[in-house]
Amino acid sequence: MLTLTNLDSFYGRSQALHDVSVTARAGTILAVLGRNGVGKTTLLRSILGLTDRQSGAIRLEGEDLAAQPTYRRAKAGIAYVPQGRMIIPDFTIRENILMGGFAAKGPRAIPEIVPKIFPYLMDNLDRPGGVLSGGQQQQLAIARALAAEPKVLLMDEPTEGIQPNIVEQIEDIIIRLNTELGLTIILVEQNVGFARRAAHDFAMLENGRVVADGAIASLTEETVTRHMAI
């Protein structure tokens, strides 16, 4: 589905990713793991063309998007749930969701699955996004991304900063998006337990390089300790 080959990515003169090659197989969840600051968020931003410069190939269903601007990558089928959610606080829930539909092939609309997985949002469409709790804002950020009708969903630490009683709900929703919609998901995650429960494959980053990857069943405690322990 989405294949990165020999990807280098830069912020100014600083190289953040080095020769990264990974594949997110169609209909699977790829967990991107590693300590803070090793390039996980940069990997997602690079897929969308949000770094200053990059080289290498980024292929979605065989089409190389590496030379395309961000909006064309979005229209090709890549949506992003960023770290920190980045909803617009003065927009209503409805407006935030519909804003994500600029990349959809049809008219902007609230996705059919949203009432099923986020009933609170549907019951409060006219509330400003800024009054929502952290967990509710994360739901809104996911709903906004789904409005783009994506083939691939990029998610950057989607349970970070969310109250503990909501974390498991968000985790279950991510799994449902994969199993019920067949969405391919690239999931940046620090929670190894959740990664093992949700993902099919993994890529471990360190210093902007892939140092281990493969089926999630092959992720050993030794690898986790070596590359994630503080």
Side-chain angles (χ1 to χ4, degrees):
M1 171 63 78
L2 182 67
T3 300
L4 315 181
T5 307
N6 306 125
L7 180 65
D8 296 325
S9 194
F10 299 80
Y11 292 113
R13 295 183 179 181
S14 177
Q15 186 168 356
L17 295 181
H18 303 262
D19 197 33
V20 169
S21 296
V22 294
T23 295
R25 298 180 294 120
T28 67
I29 297 177
L30 170 68
V32 180
L33 306 171
R35 297 183 182 93
N36 289 330
V38 299
K40 302 187 302 296
T41 294
T42 297
L43 177 63
L44 301 188
R45 290 176 57 82
S46 298
I47 292 170
L48 277 171
L50 295 174
T51 58
D52 294 336
R53 179 166 59 91
Q54 56 189 236
S55 63
I58 301 173
R59 291 187 175 87
L60 177 62
E61 296 182 323
E63 178 186 1
D64 193 351
L65 301 177
Q68 298 296 326
T70 296
Y71 78 93
R72 290 197 179 277
R73 300 185 196 203
K75 285 185 174 294
I78 301 174
Y80 185 30
V81 180
Q83 190 175 29
R85 300 173 283 277
M86 295 185 183
I87 59 101
I88 298 180
D90 292 335
F91 278 22
T92 65
I93 289 173
R94 178 187 284 105
E95 290 168 336
N96 269 282
I97 295 174
L98 295 179
M99 183 178 65
F102 81 95
K105 290 182 171 57
R108 298 189 189 191
I110 296 174
E112 291 183 5
I113 195 171
V114 169
K116 301 176 185 176
I117 59 176
F118 301 134
Y120 176 85
L121 298 183
M122 295 303 297
D123 291 341
N124 294 274
L125 285 173
D126 295 320
R127 294 196 76 192
V131 305
L132 303 182
S133 69
Q136 291 162 349
Q137 288 188 5
Q138 187 62 277
Q139 293 179 11
L140 181 54
I142 295 171
R144 179 183 59 193
L146 294 176
E149 301 176 352
K151 300 173 184 175
V152 178
L153 186 59
L154 311 180
M155 309 190 79
D156 195 352
E157 300 201 30
T159 61
E160 182 186 43
I162 293 176
Q163 53 269 45
N165 62 316
I166 303 297
V167 167
E168 188 172 349
Q169 293 178 28
I170 297 292
E171 292 177 349
D172 289 343
I173 284 164
I174 292 168
I175 293 171
R176 286 183 64 184
L177 293 176
N178 172 248
T179 57
E180 295 182 21
L181 296 184
L183 269 178
T184 303
I185 298 173
I186 299 182
L187 174 69
V188 165
E189 187 54 66
Q190 292 279 7
N191 184 333
V192 175
F194 173 49
R196 285 193 166 114
R197 181 164 74 96
H200 303 84
D201 303 303
F202 80 96
M204 184 74 71
L205 295 189
E206 188 162 318
N207 297 324
R209 293 176 169 85
V210 176
V211 292
D213 63 345
I216 195 69
S218 69
L219 177 61
T220 64
E221 286 300 327
E222 179 185 1
T223 298
V224 171
T225 300
R226 180 183 305 164
H227 299 294
M228 295 189 71
I230 298 174

PDB file of all heavy atoms in Angstrom, residues 9-11 41-54 58 68-71 73 80 82 86 154:
ATOM      1  N   SER A   9      15.363  12.835   4.929  1.00  0.00           N
ATOM      2  CA  SER A   9      14.519  14.002   5.151  1.00  0.00           C
ATOM      3  C   SER A   9      15.273  15.009   6.002  1.00  0.00           C
ATOM      4  O   SER A   9      16.036  14.634   6.904  1.00  0.00           O
ATOM      5  CB  SER A   9      13.215  13.593   5.833  1.00  0.00           C
ATOM      6  OG  SER A   9      12.258  14.625   5.773  1.00  0.00           O
ATOM      7  N   PHE A  10      15.052  16.299   5.710  1.00  0.00           N
ATOM      8  CA  PHE A  10      15.858  17.358   6.302  1.00  0.00           C
ATOM      9  C   PHE A  10      14.987  18.479   6.857  1.00  0.00           C
ATOM     10  O   PHE A  10      13.949  18.820   6.289  1.00  0.00           O
ATOM     11  CB  PHE A  10      16.788  17.963   5.246  1.00  0.00           C
ATOM     12  CG  PHE A  10      17.759  16.997   4.633  1.00  0.00           C
ATOM     13  CD1 PHE A  10      17.359  16.127   3.624  1.00  0.00           C
ATOM     14  CD2 PHE A  10      19.091  16.970   5.046  1.00  0.00           C
ATOM     15  CE1 PHE A  10      18.256  15.242   3.046  1.00  0.00           C
ATOM     16  CE2 PHE A  10      19.992  16.088   4.470  1.00  0.00           C
ATOM     17  CZ  PHE A  10      19.579  15.220   3.474  1.00  0.00           C
ATOM     18  N   TYR A  11      15.455  19.069   7.969  1.00  0.00           N
ATOM     19  CA  TYR A  11      14.985  20.364   8.440  1.00  0.00           C
ATOM     20  C   TYR A  11      16.163  21.322   8.263  1.00  0.00           C
ATOM     21  O   TYR A  11      17.153  21.228   8.992  1.00  0.00           O
ATOM     22  CB  TYR A  11      14.573  20.302   9.905  1.00  0.00           C
ATOM     23  CG  TYR A  11      13.341  19.473  10.172  1.00  0.00           C
ATOM     24  CD1 TYR A  11      13.413  18.287  10.897  1.00  0.00           C
ATOM     25  CD2 TYR A  11      12.093  19.871   9.713  1.00  0.00           C
ATOM     26  CE1 TYR A  11      12.283  17.528  11.165  1.00  0.00           C
ATOM     27  CE2 TYR A  11      10.953  19.121   9.970  1.00  0.00           C
ATOM     28  CZ  TYR A  11      11.057  17.949  10.689  1.00  0.00           C
ATOM     29  OH  TYR A  11       9.937  17.204  10.941  1.00  0.00           O
ATOM     30  N   THR A  41       7.962  11.262  14.505  1.00  0.00           N
ATOM     31  CA  THR A  41       7.074  12.292  13.959  1.00  0.00           C
ATOM     32  C   THR A  41       7.577  12.787  12.613  1.00  0.00           C
ATOM     33  O   THR A  41       6.784  13.025  11.688  1.00  0.00           O
ATOM     34  CB  THR A  41       6.955  13.461  14.952  1.00  0.00           C
ATOM     35  OG1 THR A  41       6.298  13.006  16.143  1.00  0.00           O
ATOM     36  CG2 THR A  41       6.157  14.616  14.357  1.00  0.00           C
ATOM     37  N   THR A  42       8.879  12.929  12.478  1.00  0.00           N
ATOM     38  CA  THR A  42       9.450  13.354  11.195  1.00  0.00           C
ATOM     39  C   THR A  42       9.111  12.371  10.094  1.00  0.00           C
ATOM     40  O   THR A  42       8.871  12.778   8.943  1.00  0.00           O
ATOM     41  CB  THR A  42      10.976  13.511  11.318  1.00  0.00           C
ATOM     42  OG1 THR A  42      11.259  14.543  12.263  1.00  0.00           O
ATOM     43  CG2 THR A  42      11.603  13.875   9.984  1.00  0.00           C
ATOM     44  N   LEU A  43       9.051  11.089  10.421  1.00  0.00           N
ATOM     45  CA  LEU A  43       8.677  10.097   9.415  1.00  0.00           C
ATOM     46  C   LEU A  43       7.274  10.378   8.890  1.00  0.00           C
ATOM     47  O   LEU A  43       7.047  10.393   7.669  1.00  0.00           O
ATOM     48  CB  LEU A  43       8.751   8.695  10.023  1.00  0.00           C
ATOM     49  CG  LEU A  43       8.327   7.540   9.105  1.00  0.00           C
ATOM     50  CD1 LEU A  43       9.248   7.444   7.899  1.00  0.00           C
ATOM     51  CD2 LEU A  43       8.315   6.223   9.871  1.00  0.00           C
ATOM     52  N   LEU A  44       6.326  10.634   9.784  1.00  0.00           N
ATOM     53  CA  LEU A  44       4.965  10.934   9.341  1.00  0.00           C
ATOM     54  C   LEU A  44       4.927  12.238   8.554  1.00  0.00           C
ATOM     55  O   LEU A  44       4.259  12.333   7.511  1.00  0.00           O
ATOM     56  CB  LEU A  44       4.026  11.008  10.546  1.00  0.00           C
ATOM     57  CG  LEU A  44       3.903   9.768  11.420  1.00  0.00           C
ATOM     58  CD1 LEU A  44       2.779   9.950  12.442  1.00  0.00           C
ATOM     59  CD2 LEU A  44       3.661   8.510  10.590  1.00  0.00           C
ATOM     60  N   ARG A  45       5.622  13.253   9.044  1.00  0.00           N
ATOM     61  CA  ARG A  45       5.643  14.534   8.346  1.00  0.00           C
ATOM     62  C   ARG A  45       6.286  14.410   6.974  1.00  0.00           C
ATOM     63  O   ARG A  45       5.872  15.088   6.023  1.00  0.00           O
ATOM     64  CB  ARG A  45       6.374  15.582   9.200  1.00  0.00           C
ATOM     65  CG  ARG A  45       5.590  15.994  10.446  1.00  0.00           C
ATOM     66  CD  ARG A  45       6.392  16.968  11.315  1.00  0.00           C
ATOM     67  NE  ARG A  45       6.782  18.170  10.571  1.00  0.00           N
ATOM     68  CZ  ARG A  45       6.004  19.211  10.377  1.00  0.00           C
ATOM     69  NH1 ARG A  45       4.768  19.218  10.877  1.00  0.00           N
ATOM     70  NH2 ARG A  45       6.428  20.258   9.697  1.00  0.00           N
ATOM     71  N   SER A  46       7.263  13.545   6.859  1.00  0.00           N
ATOM     72  CA  SER A  46       7.913  13.342   5.563  1.00  0.00           C
ATOM     73  C   SER A  46       6.974  12.687   4.570  1.00  0.00           C
ATOM     74  O   SER A  46       6.990  13.012   3.370  1.00  0.00           O
ATOM     75  CB  SER A  46       9.176  12.488   5.738  1.00  0.00           C
ATOM     76  OG  SER A  46      10.125  13.133   6.565  1.00  0.00           O
ATOM     77  N   ILE A  47       6.167  11.766   5.045  1.00  0.00           N
ATOM     78  CA  ILE A  47       5.195  11.114   4.157  1.00  0.00           C
ATOM     79  C   ILE A  47       4.257  12.149   3.555  1.00  0.00           C
ATOM     80  O   ILE A  47       3.859  12.048   2.383  1.00  0.00           O
ATOM     81  CB  ILE A  47       4.418  10.023   4.927  1.00  0.00           C
ATOM     82  CG1 ILE A  47       5.355   8.868   5.301  1.00  0.00           C
ATOM     83  CG2 ILE A  47       3.234   9.509   4.103  1.00  0.00           C
ATOM     84  CD1 ILE A  47       4.746   7.867   6.253  1.00  0.00           C
ATOM     85  N   LEU A  48       3.933  13.185   4.331  1.00  0.00           N
ATOM     86  CA  LEU A  48       3.042  14.238   3.854  1.00  0.00           C
ATOM     87  C   LEU A  48       3.781  15.401   3.193  1.00  0.00           C
ATOM     88  O   LEU A  48       3.146  16.352   2.738  1.00  0.00           O
ATOM     89  CB  LEU A  48       2.199  14.774   5.010  1.00  0.00           C
ATOM     90  CG  LEU A  48       0.956  13.947   5.332  1.00  0.00           C
ATOM     91  CD1 LEU A  48       0.319  14.433   6.626  1.00  0.00           C
ATOM     92  CD2 LEU A  48      -0.060  14.014   4.200  1.00  0.00           C
ATOM     93  N   GLY A  49       5.113  15.344   3.157  1.00  0.00           N
ATOM     94  CA  GLY A  49       5.865  16.418   2.539  1.00  0.00           C
ATOM     95  C   GLY A  49       5.953  17.661   3.385  1.00  0.00           C
ATOM     96  O   GLY A  49       6.009  18.775   2.857  1.00  0.00           O
ATOM     97  N   LEU A  50       6.003  17.514   4.696  1.00  0.00           N
ATOM     98  CA  LEU A  50       5.994  18.647   5.608  1.00  0.00           C
ATOM     99  C   LEU A  50       7.370  18.967   6.185  1.00  0.00           C
ATOM    100  O   LEU A  50       7.474  19.777   7.108  1.00  0.00           O
ATOM    101  CB  LEU A  50       5.000  18.396   6.751  1.00  0.00           C
ATOM    102  CG  LEU A  50       3.536  18.301   6.331  1.00  0.00           C
ATOM    103  CD1 LEU A  50       2.659  17.896   7.518  1.00  0.00           C
ATOM    104  CD2 LEU A  50       3.047  19.619   5.737  1.00  0.00           C
ATOM    105  N   THR A  51       8.426  18.342   5.684  1.00  0.00           N
ATOM    106  CA  THR A  51       9.774  18.733   6.071  1.00  0.00           C
ATOM    107  C   THR A  51      10.348  19.632   4.977  1.00  0.00           C
ATOM    108  O   THR A  51       9.761  19.788   3.901  1.00  0.00           O
ATOM    109  CB  THR A  51      10.665  17.502   6.283  1.00  0.00           C
ATOM    110  OG1 THR A  51      10.706  16.718   5.079  1.00  0.00           O
ATOM    111  CG2 THR A  51      10.140  16.640   7.420  1.00  0.00           C
ATOM    112  N   ASP A  52      11.505  20.229   5.233  1.00  0.00           N
ATOM    113  CA  ASP A  52      12.059  21.218   4.310  1.00  0.00           C
ATOM    114  C   ASP A  52      12.543  20.597   2.998  1.00  0.00           C
ATOM    115  O   ASP A  52      12.433  21.206   1.937  1.00  0.00           O
ATOM    116  CB  ASP A  52      13.226  21.961   4.972  1.00  0.00           C
ATOM    117  CG  ASP A  52      12.772  22.799   6.154  1.00  0.00           C
ATOM    118  OD1 ASP A  52      11.587  23.170   6.200  1.00  0.00           O
ATOM    119  OD2 ASP A  52      13.605  23.075   7.041  1.00  0.00           O
ATOM    120  N   ARG A  53      13.070  19.396   3.108  1.00  0.00           N
ATOM    121  CA  ARG A  53      13.621  18.751   1.911  1.00  0.00           C
ATOM    122  C   ARG A  53      13.675  17.248   2.148  1.00  0.00           C
ATOM    123  O   ARG A  53      13.889  16.804   3.275  1.00  0.00           O
ATOM    124  CB  ARG A  53      15.021  19.305   1.628  1.00  0.00           C
ATOM    125  CG  ARG A  53      15.729  18.710   0.417  1.00  0.00           C
ATOM    126  CD  ARG A  53      16.949  19.566   0.040  1.00  0.00           C
ATOM    127  NE  ARG A  53      17.909  19.687   1.119  1.00  0.00           N
ATOM    128  CZ  ARG A  53      18.943  18.848   1.307  1.00  0.00           C
ATOM    129  NH1 ARG A  53      19.127  17.830   0.478  1.00  0.00           N
ATOM    130  NH2 ARG A  53      19.782  19.041   2.310  1.00  0.00           N
ATOM    131  N   GLN A  54      13.490  16.479   1.083  1.00  0.00           N
ATOM    132  CA  GLN A  54      13.590  15.025   1.201  1.00  0.00           C
ATOM    133  C   GLN A  54      14.012  14.420  -0.129  1.00  0.00           C
ATOM    134  O   GLN A  54      13.852  15.030  -1.186  1.00  0.00           O
ATOM    135  CB  GLN A  54      12.268  14.418   1.675  1.00  0.00           C
ATOM    136  CG  GLN A  54      11.072  14.750   0.806  1.00  0.00           C
ATOM    137  CD  GLN A  54       9.763  14.315   1.450  1.00  0.00           C
ATOM    138  OE1 GLN A  54       9.007  13.566   0.861  1.00  0.00           O
ATOM    139  NE2 GLN A  54       9.471  14.815   2.643  1.00  0.00           N
ATOM    140  N   ILE A  58       8.448   7.665  -2.170  1.00  0.00           N
ATOM    141  CA  ILE A  58       7.270   7.454  -1.331  1.00  0.00           C
ATOM    142  C   ILE A  58       6.166   7.009  -2.272  1.00  0.00           C
ATOM    143  O   ILE A  58       5.618   7.826  -3.019  1.00  0.00           O
ATOM    144  CB  ILE A  58       6.862   8.730  -0.579  1.00  0.00           C
ATOM    145  CG1 ILE A  58       8.008   9.228   0.306  1.00  0.00           C
ATOM    146  CG2 ILE A  58       5.607   8.487   0.254  1.00  0.00           C
ATOM    147  CD1 ILE A  58       7.738  10.578   0.952  1.00  0.00           C
ATOM    148  N   GLN A  68       5.441  15.351  -5.068  1.00  0.00           N
ATOM    149  CA  GLN A  68       4.139  16.016  -5.017  1.00  0.00           C
ATOM    150  C   GLN A  68       4.025  16.925  -3.791  1.00  0.00           C
ATOM    151  O   GLN A  68       4.549  16.613  -2.723  1.00  0.00           O
ATOM    152  CB  GLN A  68       3.013  14.979  -4.989  1.00  0.00           C
ATOM    153  CG  GLN A  68       2.944  14.081  -6.205  1.00  0.00           C
ATOM    154  CD  GLN A  68       2.624  14.869  -7.461  1.00  0.00           C
ATOM    155  OE1 GLN A  68       1.885  15.846  -7.425  1.00  0.00           O
ATOM    156  NE2 GLN A  68       3.201  14.444  -8.579  1.00  0.00           N
ATOM    157  N   PRO A  69       3.311  18.050  -3.914  1.00  0.00           N
ATOM    158  CA  PRO A  69       3.069  18.894  -2.738  1.00  0.00           C
ATOM    159  C   PRO A  69       2.130  18.203  -1.756  1.00  0.00           C
ATOM    160  O   PRO A  69       1.455  17.213  -2.098  1.00  0.00           O
ATOM    161  CB  PRO A  69       2.426  20.148  -3.331  1.00  0.00           C
ATOM    162  CG  PRO A  69       1.790  19.686  -4.608  1.00  0.00           C
ATOM    163  CD  PRO A  69       2.689  18.593  -5.131  1.00  0.00           C
ATOM    164  N   THR A  70       2.059  18.744  -0.559  1.00  0.00           N
ATOM    165  CA  THR A  70       1.289  18.112   0.511  1.00  0.00           C
ATOM    166  C   THR A  70      -0.164  17.891   0.124  1.00  0.00           C
ATOM    167  O   THR A  70      -0.738  16.831   0.388  1.00  0.00           O
ATOM    168  CB  THR A  70       1.378  18.967   1.781  1.00  0.00           C
ATOM    169  OG1 THR A  70       2.735  18.995   2.226  1.00  0.00           O
ATOM    170  CG2 THR A  70       0.517  18.404   2.889  1.00  0.00           C
ATOM    171  N   TYR A  71      -0.808  18.879  -0.496  1.00  0.00           N
ATOM    172  CA  TYR A  71      -2.240  18.738  -0.773  1.00  0.00           C
ATOM    173  C   TYR A  71      -2.503  17.611  -1.764  1.00  0.00           C
ATOM    174  O   TYR A  71      -3.539  16.942  -1.687  1.00  0.00           O
ATOM    175  CB  TYR A  71      -2.840  20.059  -1.252  1.00  0.00           C
ATOM    176  CG  TYR A  71      -2.588  20.429  -2.691  1.00  0.00           C
ATOM    177  CD1 TYR A  71      -3.491  20.085  -3.688  1.00  0.00           C
ATOM    178  CD2 TYR A  71      -1.441  21.129  -3.047  1.00  0.00           C
ATOM    179  CE1 TYR A  71      -3.260  20.431  -5.014  1.00  0.00           C
ATOM    180  CE2 TYR A  71      -1.205  21.476  -4.365  1.00  0.00           C
ATOM    181  CZ  TYR A  71      -2.112  21.124  -5.345  1.00  0.00           C
ATOM    182  OH  TYR A  71      -1.884  21.458  -6.643  1.00  0.00           O
ATOM    183  N   ARG A  73      -0.685  14.856  -1.967  1.00  0.00           N
ATOM    184  CA  ARG A  73      -0.510  13.629  -1.186  1.00  0.00           C
ATOM    185  C   ARG A  73      -1.786  13.345  -0.393  1.00  0.00           C
ATOM    186  O   ARG A  73      -2.212  12.192  -0.276  1.00  0.00           O
ATOM    187  CB  ARG A  73       0.697  13.746  -0.256  1.00  0.00           C
ATOM    188  CG  ARG A  73       2.000  13.995  -0.997  1.00  0.00           C
ATOM    189  CD  ARG A  73       3.186  13.992  -0.061  1.00  0.00           C
ATOM    190  NE  ARG A  73       4.362  14.584  -0.693  1.00  0.00           N
ATOM    191  CZ  ARG A  73       5.612  14.343  -0.321  1.00  0.00           C
ATOM    192  NH1 ARG A  73       5.859  13.518   0.679  1.00  0.00           N
ATOM    193  NH2 ARG A  73       6.618  14.932  -0.938  1.00  0.00           N
ATOM    194  N   TYR A  80      -3.860  12.588   8.256  1.00  0.00           N
ATOM    195  CA  TYR A  80      -2.925  12.731   9.372  1.00  0.00           C
ATOM    196  C   TYR A  80      -3.677  13.128  10.641  1.00  0.00           C
ATOM    197  O   TYR A  80      -4.447  14.088  10.637  1.00  0.00           O
ATOM    198  CB  TYR A  80      -1.915  13.815   8.991  1.00  0.00           C
ATOM    199  CG  TYR A  80      -0.766  14.070   9.938  1.00  0.00           C
ATOM    200  CD1 TYR A  80      -0.226  13.074  10.743  1.00  0.00           C
ATOM    201  CD2 TYR A  80      -0.175  15.337   9.988  1.00  0.00           C
ATOM    202  CE1 TYR A  80       0.846  13.325  11.574  1.00  0.00           C
ATOM    203  CE2 TYR A  80       0.908  15.601  10.826  1.00  0.00           C
ATOM    204  CZ  TYR A  80       1.413  14.594  11.611  1.00  0.00           C
ATOM    205  OH  TYR A  80       2.482  14.854  12.439  1.00  0.00           O
ATOM    206  N   PRO A  82      -2.363  14.497  13.916  1.00  0.00           N
ATOM    207  CA  PRO A  82      -1.073  14.932  14.453  1.00  0.00           C
ATOM    208  C   PRO A  82      -0.995  14.816  15.965  1.00  0.00           C
ATOM    209  O   PRO A  82      -2.008  14.775  16.669  1.00  0.00           O
ATOM    210  CB  PRO A  82      -1.000  16.403  14.018  1.00  0.00           C
ATOM    211  CG  PRO A  82      -2.423  16.832  13.948  1.00  0.00           C
ATOM    212  CD  PRO A  82      -3.195  15.626  13.471  1.00  0.00           C
ATOM    213  N   MET A  86      -4.343  19.384  17.339  1.00  0.00           N
ATOM    214  CA  MET A  86      -4.389  20.571  16.472  1.00  0.00           C
ATOM    215  C   MET A  86      -5.771  20.834  15.873  1.00  0.00           C
ATOM    216  O   MET A  86      -5.898  21.187  14.703  1.00  0.00           O
ATOM    217  CB  MET A  86      -3.345  20.455  15.346  1.00  0.00           C
ATOM    218  CG  MET A  86      -1.914  20.446  15.839  1.00  0.00           C
ATOM    219  SD  MET A  86      -0.710  20.463  14.510  1.00  0.00           S
ATOM    220  CE  MET A  86       0.811  20.341  15.447  1.00  0.00           C
ATOM    221  N   LEU A 154      -2.274   8.280   9.104  1.00  0.00           N
ATOM    222  CA  LEU A 154      -1.075   8.476   9.906  1.00  0.00           C
ATOM    223  C   LEU A 154      -1.512   8.980  11.278  1.00  0.00           C
ATOM    224  O   LEU A 154      -2.216   9.986  11.376  1.00  0.00           O
ATOM    225  CB  LEU A 154      -0.149   9.504   9.251  1.00  0.00           C
ATOM    226  CG  LEU A 154       0.161   9.315   7.764  1.00  0.00           C
ATOM    227  CD1 LEU A 154       1.091  10.441   7.282  1.00  0.00           C
ATOM    228  CD2 LEU A 154       0.769   7.956   7.482  1.00  0.00           C
TER     229      LEU A 154
END
